[in-house]
Amino acid sequence: MGIKLFHKTQRDLASSINNVIDKYWNDEIEEEQMIGLVHNLYKNNDTKFLKDGDFTTVLKQQCGKRRLEVVNKILSNRNK
């Protein structure tokens, strides 16, 4: 799956997050692949993901609540 791991803007990052989560919801990729892609996106773009411990406003607007709930669970489980 051709997903860029390094993004220039938060909007580009949001688009990739949407793409990954939507492909998982449409059964086009497996759960483990989705989790790995989200981890890699976060690892390579951490300053574009979070601000003051919360998702950035651009990500909230572009990704929506349901997708960010999935991302939050993935990132929360990573830290355990």
Side-chain angles (χ1 to χ4, degrees):
M1 189 167 122
I3 296 284
K4 282 185 178 180
L5 294 180
F6 297 93
H7 292 281
K8 188 174 182 178
T9 66
Q10 290 177 350
R11 289 192 191 282
D12 292 341
L13 176 60
S15 178
S16 286
I17 292 168
N18 290 347
N19 192 8
V20 169
I21 301 294
D22 289 349
K23 283 187 181 290
Y24 170 70
W25 282 339
N26 292 329
D27 295 323
E28 295 174 28
I29 62 173
E30 296 294 320
E31 184 173 330
E32 290 301 318
Q33 187 178 9
M34 179 210 38
I35 291 170
L37 286 167
V38 170
H39 282 303
N40 286 334
L41 285 169
Y42 177 74
K43 181 174 66 173
N44 295 316
N45 302 281
D46 58 335
T47 58
K48 292 177 187 76
F49 249 90
L50 302 173
K51 182 176 181 181
D52 299 328
D54 196 12
F55 291 109
T56 63
T57 303
V58 173
L59 285 186
K60 287 179 184 177
Q61 292 171 344
Q62 298 292 313
C63 294
K65 188 176 181 180
R66 289 182 59 216
R67 287 188 192 99
L68 290 181
E69 285 174 354
V70 172
V71 171
N72 191 37
K73 288 191 188 266
I74 291 169
L75 296 178
S76 296
N77 288 337
R78 179 185 71 118
N79 294 331
K80 289 183 179 178

